[in-house]
Amino acid sequence: MSSKNQHVVQRENGWAVRGEGNTRDTSHHATQAEAAAAAREIARRQESEVLIHGRDGRIRERDSYGNDPFPPKG
C-alpha cells in the first residue's frame, strides 16, 4: 500500500476524504470533524499526512502521522 496524503475537502452535501492524486473520494461524511477523524485513521495506517481544507478550499490544518520530514528537535 502506498502512503498518500489524505485531504479533507468540502462537498456539496458534506465533507469528503480524498487520497492525494485520486480521482474519486475515499469516503463521504456529514461533518468536517467526522471526515478528519476518518482521514487521520487512514494516515496513521499509511504513515502519511492529513491536510484539512477550510470552506474556502485553502489548507487550514496539517498533521503528519509517521514519516515526518521535519520532526521537532528535543
Side-chain angles (χ1 to χ4, degrees), residues 1-55:
M1 183 181 289
S2 65
S3 69
K4 293 182 178 182
N5 292 339
Q6 301 299 313
H7 293 260
V8 175
V9 293
Q10 187 176 27
R11 294 291 182 245
E12 200 172 291
N13 57 353
W15 293 84
V17 176
R18 178 178 277 195
E20 194 165 291
N22 290 355
T23 57
R24 295 175 48 185
D25 295 337
T26 303
S27 59
H28 293 99
H29 305 273
T31 67
Q32 186 183 41
E34 290 172 359
R40 285 186 178 101
E41 182 59 37
I42 294 168
R44 281 186 189 102
R45 284 195 311 262
Q46 295 184 356
E47 296 184 348
S48 61
E49 286 193 56
V50 173
L51 294 93
I52 300 174
H53 297 256
R55 292 184 187 276

